[in-house]
Amino acid sequence: MTDLPAILAQITQEMADLPESGKSADYIPELACIDPDQFAIAVVTADGTLHTAGSADQPFSIQSVSKVFALALALGQVGDTMWQRVGVEPSGQRFDSILQLEQEKGRPRNPFINAGAIVVTDTLLKGCTPREALGGLMRFVQEAAEDDTLRIDPSVAQSEIATGARNFALAHYMKSHGNLVHEPDLVLGTYFHQCAIEMTVAQLARAGRFLADLPDGSKLVAAQRVRRLNALMVTCGHYDGSGDFAFRVGLPGKSGVGGGILAVAPGRASIAVWSPGLNVYGNSLRGTLALERLTTLTGWSVFG
Amino acid sequence: MTDLPAILAQITQEMADLPESGKSADYIPELACIDPDQFAIAVVTADGTLHTAGSADQPFSIQSVSKVFALALALGQVGDTMWQRVGVEPSGQRFDSILQLEQEKGRPRNPFINAGAIVVTDTLLKGCTPREALGGLMRFVQEAAEDDTLRIDPSVAQSEIATGARNFALAHYMKSHGNLVHEPDLVLGTYFHQCAIEMTVAQLARAGRFLADLPDGSKLVAAQRVRRLNALMVTCGHYDGSGDFAFRVGLPGKSGVGGGILAVAPGRASIAVWSPGLNVYGNSLRGTLALERLTTLTGWSVFG
Amino acid sequence: MTDLPAILAQITQEMADLPESGKSADYIPELACIDPDQFAIAVVTADGTLHTAGSADQPFSIQSVSKVFALALALGQVGDTMWQRVGVEPSGQRFDSILQLEQEKGRPRNPFINAGAIVVTDTLLKGCTPREALGGLMRFVQEAAEDDTLRIDPSVAQSEIATGARNFALAHYMKSHGNLVHEPDLVLGTYFHQCAIEMTVAQLARAGRFLADLPDGSKLVAAQRVRRLNALMVTCGHYDGSGDFAFRVGLPGKSGVGGGILAVAPGRASIAVWSPGLNVYGNSLRGTLALERLTTLTGWSVFG
Amino acid sequence: MTDLPAILAQITQEMADLPESGKSADYIPELACIDPDQFAIAVVTADGTLHTAGSADQPFSIQSVSKVFALALALGQVGDTMWQRVGVEPSGQRFDSILQLEQEKGRPRNPFINAGAIVVTDTLLKGCTPREALGGLMRFVQEAAEDDTLRIDPSVAQSEIATGARNFALAHYMKSHGNLVHEPDLVLGTYFHQCAIEMTVAQLARAGRFLADLPDGSKLVAAQRVRRLNALMVTCGHYDGSGDFAFRVGLPGKSGVGGGILAVAPGRASIAVWSPGLNVYGNSLRGTLALERLTTLTGWSVFG
């Protein structure tokens, strides 16, 4: 094993030296004012050790990284019937695109674009209230991270409800095709709260261990399902920049507009990075670069 | 290690028992009359052993599997300047789709759809004749397979030239955007011959060893480039069915309409399957199922 | 002048003899149960005479025909600033399509597709309540028809609010691009009531006189604006069947999914037809045929 | 009747005073060097009088205006079977767009976009050579204009063949869907020569009389067919700017990238304008403005 602490320190320094950091998400008022230069990275290795560098204790809004947890939980509840309502193909479009919903009759391409994640949240609401559904999701994430202190930031959720017209359009459109069971207001109220989960990179890296198939990892999710989640993260985890992420980083990963990315090197490590400045695809600019450096320096790519 | 010969025999039997086999590609007259039920599989493992089952000595037209070899060779010649002319993102469209070329000003989404592969062939023609370019490609494939007997079937190439109007449209369209250096007739004459390379699964599995990073594998291509080729095969190797292949099989792979698929389990194996009947995406129906069974039975998925 | 009463009687008989009548709009429950075979036609000529045939006293829901009145009224209020928010080009897509809104950043192609009409209604709400806006629209239509008895059917409006998810998607999507001033619920509440105006063909033909530039017509709208409304009706009045309507009928016209069509022969006549069965474009099947027969028999095409 | 000579003189002066003139078509080398400020207008009225203003004796390349003559001739040969191969709906896309061909399986939206016009030319080649087909077309245009001196400029045709990759893509794409009978090279050789017909505005206005249904007009084409040609010119004659042209000018018209526009006021006049500078849609900027002024000053709009 290479000297991981030294590698993380080196990467953190490289990121601090980068001339550009991207721009924080500007369409969610609560996120727009966050300093885009911040950076943190955390790695849990196969022996359970946690390594961190940068602002590893700074909580951030995980946003779309939550889609992985919601999908993992929902698959446990509805199984493969999920795939009747949502596909497993990369969309090749922006995260909030609506045009494929028209071309494909209300069925989202995959569960990691907004439309697909709204369907996943809709399944979590089956037979329960938004509060109960969110409670179930929080218990899943807390168990994954072995951390009962994880919480949702309600001010971020409210900020998104007030400005989330694009997501309301997606929900109403799917409803018009019969692919939303509950009322759009109810589903999106739940969805925006799910996106507003707050975590540090240390917490997020720990929460991702179940995807990394670590020797002593919790068996929250069956191995075959984990493989499928990881496959989806490779092909669809970074929207229309998924190919670029696979090409450069070589790991399953899921990004959020809060600047966080969760990535896993199966059998080796669960990794979380955070830097709020985004690239053109809406993924963390420095976070992606940091992961590219990490797999280059460690040889952790799943592709050889 | 599991008992690979037994696994391959079991899979071959399962495929023979399948009620459906798909339909052979009907738009290339030379391929349309091939019995879609045929099946073969070959695996070269890390110790260099070759295992086969089914019609492993039956040569077939590798068609789009050739795109991997052409890209590997072209990257060796032009390096990362390739990515100025072609992207690395899944297209989400059929293999011969033209509409994204209009939306994206003549730049193909990736090198594994037809438009992108035509650009790759265009780069191979730099400073040489079609005969020389094809000679260079054949030497590359022969060296990869350690087999000087590999050849092109000219009757298949002629059949495609006569019926390849869709590909001519793609070439002319890219030319109109300045993204084709040589004349469409020249590039497509070369491209169709490249697609008409004939191989058995045994030859194809051997030719794919350089992608599998096998301990004793030839170092035809540098490790970082191999990782990127494998990343592209995962996100783009099966056209608009790439997500489905990653989800079910969990390996980098590239299919051809002749019914062949080359897949690699990095560090473990290079695998070739062949069955001419195609699924809705234009990928081998039984070939995909066989690979899904293989990774299930061996645990070779790159995703955990 | 040809014998108009005889022509209308002949057309009515021809329509009754047609083997097919199309299918009533099935996505608005209140309209789905209406007998699609019904037919009525009314013509007001240059001398002010009203001729009718068929079920001319049967009120029906004018639906999207209301878009002409709403646009005429709104242009009187906001003038050419309207065209900053909505275009004047045919969409080439279905009436309720959302994909161009994504491609064109929330600006509808024209005011006669649903998205564009919702923007028009949004302008009518400037500085007033939905009730006041609807009051203003009803006064405009009543004055145009010289008929104070015209009313809105609230049960149809309620039926549409309950099932109008597609229109809610359009409104939220435009709001996300800043092209909706008022809340989607408010705008669509108004919009659905506007669509639920009830009229007979006799009333509708009278209401359309201002567009026909009849010698004794009311001057509700200035001549240049009338010409532009008529131009829009020719290029955009029948959604993705506008070209077909111009080709076959040769008159400016606007259809509604209730089965009504208003058409005008400038200087000659204002014409209304009604038959609830729809063709593939969502326009009245028999209504379109009847108008085609009318212009063939009278020579009223604007195209020579 | 208003004082037409004075109106034409006034318009010509207004155009000369305009600060902007647009840009000459730059993708056809032979046209790129033409001064965009030039302007000419010609009107043939119902009594057969020809009025001109500006550079009325300057021949120019009529380009896509030829699509009207080719369609009129082809409809005389194949009748309504034409509409099995090409539609009558506005495309809402640029003149050389290919994406709808993919979505609509090789059937162009209408005969006035490039793809549709190529199909029309393909029908003209039935049973004859390109030379014979062009001979037939030239006889039709010469008869319409009553002018045997009309000719094709072969250097413009050659220039387009050399640079017409986009049109070759369209032709090959339609061939791949079986919607091209003859070889792309043959059809496009004919098509580019047809586009290279040279005329002055005076000649073009005379050639358009058959569309204007003038009292003493030649009966080259039956009245019902003329009405349909005019309908198509209104809905499709200016590509994705057709709605704008109808809205502002209010006449059936067809533009060419050479800067010419033919427009007709049925029963009143056949009008030709020419100014090489183009607007964003690829239609003559000053030509469109001049026609807008003409219908405003004469009241010749077909819309009231």
Side-chain angles (χ1 to χ4, degrees):
Chain A
M1 169 58 74
T2 48
D3 181 356
L4 198 54
I7 287 174
L8 298 188
Q10 176 185 340
I11 290 171
T12 303
Q13 187 57 50
E14 288 176 7
M15 295 305 117
D17 293 344
L18 268 188
E20 59 177 347
S21 57
K23 193 154 164 267
S24 298
D26 54 4
Y27 62 92
I28 304 175
E30 289 284 320
L31 301 181
C33 50
I34 294 178
D35 173 8
D37 285 354
Q38 297 176 85
F39 178 82
I41 186 165
V43 179
V44 179
T45 51
D47 62 2
T49 313
L50 171 71
H51 302 270
T52 66
S55 310
D57 298 326
Q58 176 67 41
F60 57 91
S61 191
I62 69 168
Q63 292 292 316
S64 293
V65 181
S66 68
K67 290 169 182 170
V68 178
F69 302 115
L71 177 61
L73 178 60
L75 286 174
Q77 295 178 359
V78 305
D80 285 344
T81 63
M82 178 67 78
W83 312 119
Q84 296 165 8
R85 296 181 58 189
V86 60
V88 297
E89 294 297 335
S91 69
Q93 305 288 335
R94 282 183 61 79
F95 62 95
D96 60 359
S97 176
I98 201 164
L99 57 81
Q100 280 176 338
L101 281 189
E102 175 161 329
Q103 294 165 331
E104 301 177 4
K105 300 184 191 308
R107 184 173 184 261
R109 274 278 176 107
N110 68 66
F112 291 157
I113 51 174
N114 287 16
I118 291 168
V119 166
V120 171
T121 300
D122 188 45
T123 69
L124 291 179
L125 284 167
K126 188 178 179 185
C128 66
T129 65
R131 181 177 298 269
E132 290 165 349
L134 287 167
L137 179 62
M138 288 310 295
R139 279 191 299 280
F140 180 90
V141 181
Q142 288 170 344
E143 188 174 348
E146 290 179 287
D147 187 334
D148 291 347
T149 68
L150 298 179
R151 60 182 283 278
I152 289 167
D153 181 337
S155 67
V156 170
Q158 287 306 323
S159 177
E160 296 200 59
I161 289 170
T163 60
R166 194 73 53 89
N167 286 317
F168 278 93
L170 293 169
H172 282 283
Y173 197 86
M174 292 190 290
K175 182 175 164 66
S176 81
H177 275 289
N179 198 12
L180 204 76
V181 174
H182 304 88
E183 282 306 303
D185 283 359
L186 208 67
V187 179
L188 290 174
T190 311
Y191 173 76
F192 288 130
H193 278 85
Q194 151 194 329
C195 289
I197 297 174
E198 276 202 336
M199 298 176 88
T200 66
V201 286
Q203 290 168 325
L204 183 55
R206 288 172 62 85
R209 290 172 303 173
F210 76 96
L211 293 165
D213 192 27
L214 300 187
D216 64 344
S218 127
K219 296 303 178 195
L220 268 180
V221 176
Q224 192 202 33
R225 186 159 289 155
V226 162
R227 284 196 291 272
R228 289 177 164 191
L229 289 167
N230 286 341
L232 282 167
M233 286 203 286
V234 161
T235 55
C236 312
H238 284 73
Y239 315 120
D240 48 338
S242 297
D244 184 66
F245 188 85
F247 186 80
R248 289 166 49 196
V249 175
L251 295 179
K254 182 73 202 83
S255 69
V257 292
I261 303 177
L262 172 64
V264 290
R268 288 162 160 166
S270 170
I271 309 151
V273 289
W274 171 64
S275 184
L278 305 182
N279 62 20
V280 291
Y281 304 113
N283 305 315
S284 173
L285 188 151
R286 291 187 177 180
T288 305
L289 280 169
L291 289 169
E292 183 178 4
R293 291 295 292 145
L294 182 66
T295 54
T296 300
L297 295 170
T298 59
W300 282 350
S301 165
V302 300
F303 299 124
Chain B
M1 168 58 74
T2 47
D3 181 355
L4 197 54
I7 288 174
L8 297 187
Q10 175 187 340
I11 290 172
T12 302
Q13 187 58 50
E14 287 177 6
M15 294 305 116
D17 293 345
L18 267 189
E20 59 177 347
S21 56
K23 192 152 163 270
S24 297
D26 55 3
Y27 63 92
I28 303 175
E30 288 284 320
L31 301 181
C33 51
I34 294 178
D35 173 10
D37 286 353
Q38 297 176 84
F39 178 81
I41 187 165
V43 179
V44 179
T45 52
D47 62 1
T49 313
L50 171 71
H51 302 270
T52 66
S55 310
D57 298 327
Q58 176 68 41
F60 59 91
S61 192
I62 70 168
Q63 292 292 316
S64 293
V65 180
S66 69
K67 291 170 180 169
V68 178
F69 301 116
L71 178 62
L73 178 60
L75 286 174
Q77 296 177 0
V78 306
D80 285 345
T81 63
M82 178 67 78
W83 312 119
Q84 296 164 8
R85 296 181 58 189
V86 60
V88 297
E89 293 298 333
S91 69
Q93 305 288 334
R94 282 184 60 78
F95 63 95
D96 60 359
S97 176
I98 201 163
L99 58 79
Q100 278 175 340
L101 281 188
E102 176 162 327
Q103 293 164 333
E104 300 175 7
K105 300 186 192 308
R107 185 172 184 260
R109 274 280 175 106
N110 69 65
F112 290 158
I113 52 174
N114 287 16
I118 291 168
V119 166
V120 171
T121 300
D122 188 46
T123 69
L124 291 178
L125 284 167
K126 188 178 180 185
C128 65
T129 65
R131 180 176 301 268
E132 291 165 348
L134 287 167
L137 179 61
M138 289 310 294
R139 280 191 299 280
F140 180 90
V141 181
Q142 288 170 345
E143 189 174 348
E146 289 179 289
D147 186 335
D148 291 347
T149 69
L150 298 179
R151 59 183 283 278
I152 288 167
D153 182 338
S155 66
V156 169
Q158 287 305 322
S159 177
E160 295 199 60
I161 288 170
T163 60
R166 194 71 53 90
N167 286 318
F168 279 93
L170 293 169
H172 282 282
Y173 197 86
M174 291 189 291
K175 183 176 164 64
S176 81
H177 276 288
N179 199 12
L180 204 76
V181 174
H182 304 87
E183 283 305 302
D185 284 0
L186 210 67
V187 180
L188 290 174
T190 312
Y191 174 75
F192 287 131
H193 278 84
Q194 151 194 329
C195 289
I197 297 174
E198 276 201 337
M199 298 176 90
T200 66
V201 285
Q203 291 168 326
L204 184 54
R206 288 173 62 85
R209 291 171 303 175
F210 77 94
L211 293 164
D213 192 27
L214 301 187
D216 64 344
S218 130
K219 296 302 179 195
L220 270 180
V221 177
Q224 191 203 33
R225 186 158 288 156
V226 162
R227 284 196 291 273
R228 289 177 164 190
L229 288 167
N230 286 342
L232 283 167
M233 288 203 284
V234 160
T235 56
C236 313
H238 284 73
Y239 314 120
D240 49 336
S242 296
D244 183 65
F245 188 86
F247 186 80
R248 289 166 51 195
V249 175
L251 295 179
K254 181 74 203 80
S255 69
V257 292
I261 304 176
L262 172 63
V264 290
R268 288 162 159 166
S270 170
I271 309 153
V273 289
W274 171 63
S275 184
L278 306 180
N279 63 19
V280 291
Y281 304 113
N283 304 315
S284 174
L285 188 152
R286 290 187 177 179
T288 305
L289 280 169
L291 289 169
E292 183 178 3
R293 292 293 292 145
L294 182 67
T295 53
T296 300
L297 295 169
T298 58
W300 281 351
S301 165
V302 300
F303 299 124
Chain C
M1 168 58 73
T2 47
D3 181 356
L4 197 55
I7 287 174
L8 298 187
Q10 175 186 340
I11 290 171
T12 302
Q13 186 58 48
E14 288 176 6
M15 294 304 117
D17 293 344
L18 268 189
E20 59 177 348
S21 56
K23 194 153 163 269
S24 298
D26 55 3
Y27 62 91
I28 303 175
E30 289 284 320
L31 300 182
C33 51
I34 294 179
D35 173 10
D37 286 353
Q38 296 176 84
F39 179 81
I41 187 166
V43 179
V44 179
T45 51
D47 62 1
T49 313
L50 171 71
H51 302 270
T52 67
S55 310
D57 298 327
Q58 175 68 41
F60 59 90
S61 191
I62 69 167
Q63 293 293 316
S64 293
V65 181
S66 68
K67 290 169 182 170
V68 178
F69 302 114
L71 178 61
L73 177 61
L75 286 174
Q77 295 177 359
V78 306
D80 284 345
T81 63
M82 178 67 78
W83 312 118
Q84 297 165 8
R85 295 180 59 189
V86 61
V88 297
E89 293 297 335
S91 69
Q93 305 287 336
R94 283 184 61 78
F95 63 94
D96 59 0
S97 176
I98 201 163
L99 57 80
Q100 279 177 338
L101 281 189
E102 175 160 328
Q103 294 165 333
E104 300 175 6
K105 299 185 192 309
R107 184 172 183 260
R109 275 279 176 104
N110 69 65
F112 291 157
I113 51 174
N114 286 16
I118 291 168
V119 166
V120 171
T121 300
D122 188 45
T123 68
L124 290 178
L125 284 167
K126 189 176 179 186
C128 65
T129 65
R131 180 177 300 270
E132 290 165 349
L134 287 166
L137 179 62
M138 288 310 294
R139 279 191 299 279
F140 180 89
V141 181
Q142 288 170 345
E143 188 174 348
E146 290 178 286
D147 187 335
D148 290 347
T149 68
L150 298 179
R151 59 184 282 281
I152 289 166
D153 181 337
S155 67
V156 170
Q158 286 306 321
S159 177
E160 295 199 60
I161 289 170
T163 61
R166 193 73 52 90
N167 286 317
F168 278 94
L170 294 170
H172 282 284
Y173 198 86
M174 292 190 290
K175 182 175 165 65
S176 81
H177 275 288
N179 199 12
L180 204 76
V181 175
H182 303 89
E183 282 305 302
D185 284 359
L186 209 67
V187 179
L188 289 173
T190 311
Y191 173 75
F192 286 131
H193 278 84
Q194 152 194 328
C195 289
I197 296 175
E198 276 201 337
M199 297 176 89
T200 66
V201 286
Q203 290 168 325
L204 183 55
R206 289 173 60 86
R209 290 171 303 173
F210 77 95
L211 294 164
D213 193 27
L214 300 187
D216 63 345
S218 128
K219 295 303 178 195
L220 268 180
V221 177
Q224 191 203 32
R225 187 158 288 155
V226 162
R227 284 196 291 273
R228 289 176 164 191
L229 288 168
N230 286 341
L232 283 166
M233 287 203 283
V234 160
T235 55
C236 313
H238 285 73
Y239 315 120
D240 48 337
S242 296
D244 184 65
F245 188 85
F247 186 79
R248 288 165 52 195
V249 174
L251 295 179
K254 182 73 203 81
S255 68
V257 292
I261 303 175
L262 173 64
V264 289
R268 287 161 160 166
S270 170
I271 309 153
V273 290
W274 172 63
S275 183
L278 307 181
N279 62 20
V280 291
Y281 304 113
N283 305 316
S284 174
L285 189 152
R286 291 187 177 180
T288 305
L289 281 169
L291 289 169
E292 184 178 2
R293 291 293 292 144
L294 182 67
T295 53
T296 299
L297 295 170
T298 59
W300 281 351
S301 165
V302 300
F303 299 124
Chain D
M1 168 59 73
T2 47
D3 181 355
L4 197 54
I7 288 174
L8 299 187
Q10 176 186 340
I11 290 171
T12 302
Q13 187 57 50
E14 287 176 6
M15 294 305 117
D17 292 344
L18 267 189
E20 60 177 347
S21 57
K23 193 153 164 269
S24 298
D26 55 3
Y27 62 92
I28 303 176
E30 289 284 321
L31 301 182
C33 51
I34 294 179
D35 173 9
D37 286 354
Q38 297 175 83
F39 178 81
I41 187 166
V43 178
V44 179
T45 51
D47 62 2
T49 312
L50 171 70
H51 302 270
T52 66
S55 309
D57 298 326
Q58 176 68 41
F60 58 91
S61 192
I62 69 169
Q63 292 293 316
S64 293
V65 181
S66 69
K67 290 169 181 170
V68 178
F69 301 115
L71 178 61
L73 178 61
L75 286 174
Q77 295 177 0
V78 305
D80 285 344
T81 63
M82 178 68 78
W83 312 119
Q84 295 164 9
R85 295 181 59 190
V86 60
V88 297
E89 293 297 335
S91 68
Q93 305 288 335
R94 281 184 63 78
F95 63 95
D96 60 358
S97 175
I98 201 164
L99 58 80
Q100 279 177 338
L101 281 188
E102 176 161 328
Q103 294 165 333
E104 301 176 6
K105 299 183 192 309
R107 184 173 185 260
R109 274 280 174 105
N110 68 66
F112 290 157
I113 51 174
N114 287 16
I118 290 168
V119 166
V120 171
T121 299
D122 188 45
T123 68
L124 291 178
L125 284 167
K126 189 177 178 186
C128 66
T129 65
R131 181 177 299 268
E132 289 165 349
L134 287 166
L137 179 61
M138 288 309 295
R139 279 191 299 279
F140 180 89
V141 181
Q142 288 169 345
E143 189 174 349
E146 290 179 289
D147 187 334
D148 290 347
T149 68
L150 299 179
R151 60 182 282 280
I152 289 167
D153 182 337
S155 67
V156 170
Q158 287 306 323
S159 177
E160 295 199 62
I161 289 170
T163 60
R166 193 73 51 90
N167 287 316
F168 278 93
L170 294 170
H172 281 284
Y173 198 86
M174 291 190 290
K175 182 175 165 65
S176 81
H177 275 288
N179 199 12
L180 205 76
V181 174
H182 303 89
E183 282 305 303
D185 284 358
L186 209 68
V187 180
L188 289 174
T190 311
Y191 173 76
F192 287 131
H193 278 84
Q194 151 194 329
C195 289
I197 297 174
E198 276 201 337
M199 298 176 89
T200 66
V201 286
Q203 290 168 326
L204 184 54
R206 289 173 61 85
R209 290 172 301 172
F210 77 95
L211 293 165
D213 193 26
L214 300 187
D216 64 344
S218 129
K219 296 303 179 196
L220 268 181
V221 177
Q224 191 202 34
R225 186 159 288 154
V226 162
R227 284 196 291 273
R228 290 176 164 191
L229 288 167
N230 286 341
L232 282 166
M233 287 203 284
V234 160
T235 55
C236 312
H238 284 74
Y239 314 120
D240 49 338
S242 296
D244 184 65
F245 188 85
F247 186 80
R248 288 166 50 196
V249 175
L251 295 179
K254 181 75 203 78
S255 68
V257 291
I261 303 176
L262 173 64
V264 290
R268 288 163 161 166
S270 170
I271 308 152
V273 289
W274 171 63
S275 184
L278 305 181
N279 63 20
V280 291
Y281 304 112
N283 305 315
S284 174
L285 189 151
R286 290 188 177 179
T288 305
L289 281 169
L291 288 168
E292 183 178 3
R293 291 293 292 145
L294 182 67
T295 54
T296 300
L297 294 170
T298 59
W300 281 352
S301 164
V302 302
F303 299 125

